[in-house]
Amino acid sequence: MDSRYDPKGVEDRWQRTWEADGLYQAGAGARPAQAGDETFVICVPPPNVTGELHMGHALNGSMQDCLTRWHRMRGYDTLWQPGYDHAGIATQNVVEKQLIAEGTTRQELGRDAFLERTWEWLDRTGRTIMGQYRRLGASLDYSRERFTMDPGYVESVMTFFVRLWDAGWIYRANRIVNWCPYHQTALSDLEVEHVEADDALTYVRYPFADGSGSITIATVRPATILADVAIAVHPDDPRYADAIGKEVVVPVVGRRIPVIADTRVEPEFGSGALKITPGHDPLDFEIGRDHGLETLTAIGPDGRMIAEGFEGLTQAEAEQQVLDWLKAHDQLAKRESLHHAVGTCERCHTRIEPLISPQWWCRMDELAAPAIDALEAGRVRFHPESQHRFAIDSLKGAPDWCVSRQLWWGHQIPIWTCPDGHLTCEWPPPEACGECGSTELVRETDVLDTWFSSALWPFATLGWPEQTPELERYYPGNVNVTAREIIRLWENRMIFSGLFLMGEVPFTDVIINSTVLAVDGRRMSKSLGTGIDPLEAVDKHGADALRYGLLKISSTQDVRFSWGAIEEGGKLANKLWNVARLIFQHAEGIAPIARPEALEERWILGRIDETRRELDELWPQFDFAHAADALYHLVFDDFCDWYAEAIKPRLYEGEEAAVATALAALERLLALLHPVQPHVTEEIWAQFHERRLILGPWPEPLAAAEGAASDALTRVQDAATTFRRSGVVVALEGEEKRIFDAVVKPERATSTGDVDAECARLRKEIARGEGMLANEKFVSSAPAEVVEAEREKLARYQRELEALGC
């Protein structure tokens, strides 16, 4: 072994070796006799085909790989399914920008040529993120890579749509949607980015039609006054009790509209009176629908005005004309500054226009009901529990799903129209109209929402709608890991799609991983200058260090990135490397067999087994942070600082039993750490094994109890704490004294400690601890781990005081 561990050479070599040897493939190393022929399946959340690895991917991937490696080591038939999402608007946006830079547009190119150009670009530069996952050591079955626009996947998507149509759940309707004027398409909520903006809140007087005065409204968008159909006030607002039922006159256009009462109006905002413009605001659309109001439109799909007399103007130009009219007619009450969040397209950053648009919709009532039942029955569990409740609530309140997009890149909706207007929904494509037999069919030009196709990911990747052997073996899967912002957009849709098409939930557990924030607590973002490339961390400290550091900080839903945690992971790998070198220097010709003869040997085997038992509880609970912490203390504190130091003299003296036991203990230690730090553990393992650690075995429980050894080492460790703090030497005998002398080396002390002073200090600490624990308010309100830490400190102080004989 080299004197210094260099992750760069080691990690790259093992990544290539594992994959080349087929050890990432489904079924690799499966031991049916030991694991009951069980499978363990995770589907990677398909990243955008244009994407690059960010810190969320790195944490998400580390969690999935940790679980996959743990199950693989235990003999499970594991499948970690890789692949990409075609990413609809994201991909189209990239190619459109290229065309604009070349002095042309997709419209000039035409649909067919644009799609050909997109495929060429993807083949040339897309799908890079899997190479970055390899840098992390992610043990995905790369041989099974899928894409949501593969020919087989297209079959899955088209079949899903047709079955929804046949169930009577697909329909076309004019509804208000998030509309991007630049891309001229509807957007999902996830594709809308809310940014802070400074606007003016304009107060406008609307005169009553009977001449009895006026009512003042406040609006951020004066240009939409042209499409007003009502004024709404809260029914309990005393200021407007006499106005309800009257009519007012809309400024500029002179239209008479009613004053209505609705509890959705916020009396505290603006003047408390809300102008209702159903064609340009989601809340107004709902209020207008519920009150039977007409819907008028003043703004077109390109974001420019279409209202009579204002055609072709920008909204800013129209707003100025409206303001000039209001001033001229003394109906402009005032204007004041307003800082608020506005929706923009996350790709082009154009301000979102809520617009009424003819779209294809999927009814959600019957589709969502089985998924709600499955979640409430616990057949699928979200972790943490707070996200489980959110998943249920978001399904219960789910509006009908807008499944259409006015893009060119994506899955074209399988609906054809004949000259008589009959609709035919079939797949494969029909040769004639299903109603009148006409062969003159025109296919719908809209494509499907990206989430429509990704909803099929757990089973479309296995060959559905064909009943393949892979589908039979690996569906349903086990775990899904993702971010909380796509629970309703992806997780819930996979659940109800799996139940609808397969009759089974697609997985049993959903881990909502932490959102990794910048070091200063802001959102990680390239545009904000707060983004950190995970490959930068890999280059600096290695993939093992990054994986460990991310898992270590993953205990809450929002965590700040920590270079310190990554550096700690690097130190852990180095510490392990150095202790392995120490053992191997004395191990030539000696086989790893546990033959514990001394106290420290029985103790370390017990500590390793205790940690194994702890990990066997933590991994199924998806408690990665505590698992990483347990491994750190086992390696640093127990194995290196205590056990290795205690056996050094015996290693140097060439005691064969001590070396054999050290090798056996190292074996078990490497196995426990492998799911978190696979590269350094495999490299050390290869120094004394031919078979690969990636295939296990995961350590079996030890038969012998090690309680006595644990108690003895606790006394030695307490004595070490006392000595290092005060210089006072606690009286020990036999093996306990030998270990204390070997590890602590008290002969190096330059002064003798004051026993009386140390006793006084311990009594003071005990009194403080007893006081805190006697405080019922502290015990009941403080976090459980804080209370437990106080109990542990109190017990240690009491042991130390007793050992000193005070």
Side-chain angles (χ1 to χ4, degrees), residues 372-553:
I372 295 169
D373 291 343
L375 287 166
E376 290 185 331
R379 291 164 56 199
V380 180
R381 297 298 310 174
F382 279 74
H383 311 268
E385 177 63 28
S386 59
Q387 303 299 347
H388 188 80
R389 189 68 252 168
F390 172 78
I392 294 173
D393 291 343
S394 61
L395 267 177
K396 285 184 174 179
D400 285 357
W401 179 10
C402 178
V403 297
S404 52
R405 298 290 182 270
Q406 291 65 55
L407 302 171
W408 287 355
W409 174 247
H411 292 279
Q412 198 170 343
I413 290 176
I415 291 179
W416 286 262
T417 306
C418 75
D420 290 333
H422 302 140
L423 301 180
T424 301
C425 181
E426 289 182 10
W427 193 261
E431 296 181 357
C433 174
E435 191 166 339
C436 69
S438 171
T439 57
E440 298 179 44
L441 299 178
V442 177
R443 187 171 182 178
E444 170 63 59
T445 57
D446 285 358
V447 300
L448 289 161
D449 175 14
T450 296
W451 300 102
F452 189 93
S453 51
S454 59
L456 311 179
W457 190 245
F459 46 94
T461 52
L462 299 172
W464 185 87
E466 298 296 323
Q467 296 304 306
T468 63
E470 291 83 2
L471 188 63
E472 182 178 353
R473 176 117 180 105
Y474 297 116
Y475 189 89
N478 299 87
V479 176
N480 197 262
V481 186
T482 193
R484 62 180 179 265
E485 61 264 22
I486 58 174
I487 288 175
R488 59 192 177 90
L489 294 166
W490 188 45
E491 296 295 335
N492 282 351
R493 286 171 178 168
M494 284 190 288
I495 295 170
F496 66 61
S497 300
L499 287 165
F500 174 58
L501 297 170
M502 301 293 296
E504 291 279 357
V505 294
F507 33 69
T508 56
D509 292 278
V510 180
I511 304 168
I512 302 302
N513 59 249
S514 309
T515 297
V516 183
L517 305 175
V519 175
D520 61 5
R522 289 185 293 165
R523 178 172 61 91
M524 271 205 184
S525 165
K526 285 185 180 180
S527 61
L528 294 175
T530 57
I532 300 174
D533 184 349
L535 297 187
E536 176 190 348
V538 172
D539 290 336
K540 286 182 178 180
H541 302 287
D544 283 350
L546 175 63
R547 292 161 61 108
Y548 168 87
L550 290 174
L551 294 175
K552 182 72 177 287
I553 64 173

Side-chain angles (χ1 to χ4, degrees), residues 47-285:
N48 288 356
V49 70
T50 60
E52 294 182 349
L53 197 69
H54 57 65
M55 207 57 77
H57 287 127
L59 172 59
N60 181 285
S62 296
M63 289 177 164
Q64 293 176 79
D65 193 51
C66 187
L67 293 172
T68 301
R69 287 180 180 272
W70 179 56
H71 282 86
R72 187 186 291 119
M73 292 179 75
R74 296 164 64 214
Y76 282 70
D77 178 354
T78 60
L79 169 59
W80 187 12
Q81 173 67 51
Y84 302 88
D85 191 274
H86 64 279
I89 193 172
T91 302
Q92 180 161 314
N93 185 63
V94 170
V95 179
E96 282 199 75
K97 284 183 177 179
Q98 294 172 357
L99 294 175
I100 291 171
E102 297 169 10
T104 186
T105 65
R106 68 179 168 96
Q107 289 81 5
E108 291 178 7
L109 203 61
R111 183 167 188 150
D112 291 342
F114 176 80
L115 293 177
E116 183 179 348
R117 170 70 177 262
T118 305
W119 278 109
E120 289 174 356
W121 179 80
L122 289 177
D123 290 339
R124 189 170 65 251
T125 62
R127 311 188 186 193
T128 61
I129 202 169
M130 287 303 149
Q132 297 174 318
Y133 267 125
R134 286 177 169 95
R135 293 281 311 276
L136 274 180
S139 57
L140 288 148
D141 186 350
Y142 298 99
S143 68
R144 299 178 58 86
E145 182 181 301
R146 293 298 304 273
F147 180 42
T148 55
M149 285 185 64
D150 287 342
Y153 209 103
V154 171
E155 294 292 319
S156 302
V157 175
M158 296 299 107
T159 301
F160 181 31
F161 189 92
V162 171
R163 292 198 184 178
L164 289 171
W165 174 274
D166 290 343
W169 297 340
I170 297 290
Y171 64 95
R172 191 164 176 82
N174 279 321
R175 300 268 184 85
I176 198 159
V177 294
N178 298 314
W179 184 265
C180 173
Y182 176 79
H183 290 106
Q184 295 201 27
T185 182
L187 300 178
S188 73
D189 290 343
L190 187 67
E191 293 161 329
V192 176
E193 186 176 42
H194 294 276
V195 298
E196 295 296 314
D198 291 313
D199 269 323
L201 188 62
T202 302
Y203 290 76
V204 181
R205 287 187 286 267
Y206 284 52
F208 287 113
D210 62 7
S212 60
S214 64
I215 187 170
T216 300
I217 60 92
T219 180
V220 179
R221 307 184 66 193
T224 64
I225 286 175
L226 307 173
D228 287 353
V229 298
I231 300 293
V233 297
H234 196 282
D236 299 329
D237 191 336
R239 294 173 294 177
Y240 303 116
D242 294 337
I244 298 171
K246 289 188 175 183
E247 288 188 330
V248 296
V249 179
V250 179
V252 184
V253 295
R255 185 168 52 250
R256 293 164 67 115
I257 61 175
V259 178
I260 61 174
D262 196 285
T263 56
R264 286 165 286 193
V265 176
E266 297 180 17
E268 299 80 16
F269 179 77
S271 65
L274 179 70
K275 75 184 198 68
I276 303 301
T277 319
H280 298 291
D281 183 271
L283 177 61
D284 293 4
F285 178 80

Side-chain angles (χ1 to χ4, degrees), residues 269-316:
F269 179 77
S271 65
L274 179 70
K275 75 184 198 68
I276 303 301
T277 319
H280 298 291
D281 183 271
L283 177 61
D284 293 4
F285 178 80
E286 291 180 10
I287 293 175
R289 179 190 58 197
D290 294 346
H291 288 266
L293 303 173
E294 65 176 325
T295 297
L296 302 178
T297 304
I299 300 166
D302 62 356
R304 288 181 173 268
M305 302 300 294
I306 59 173
E308 184 178 354
F310 293 80
E311 295 93 337
L313 296 182
T314 67
Q315 291 185 54

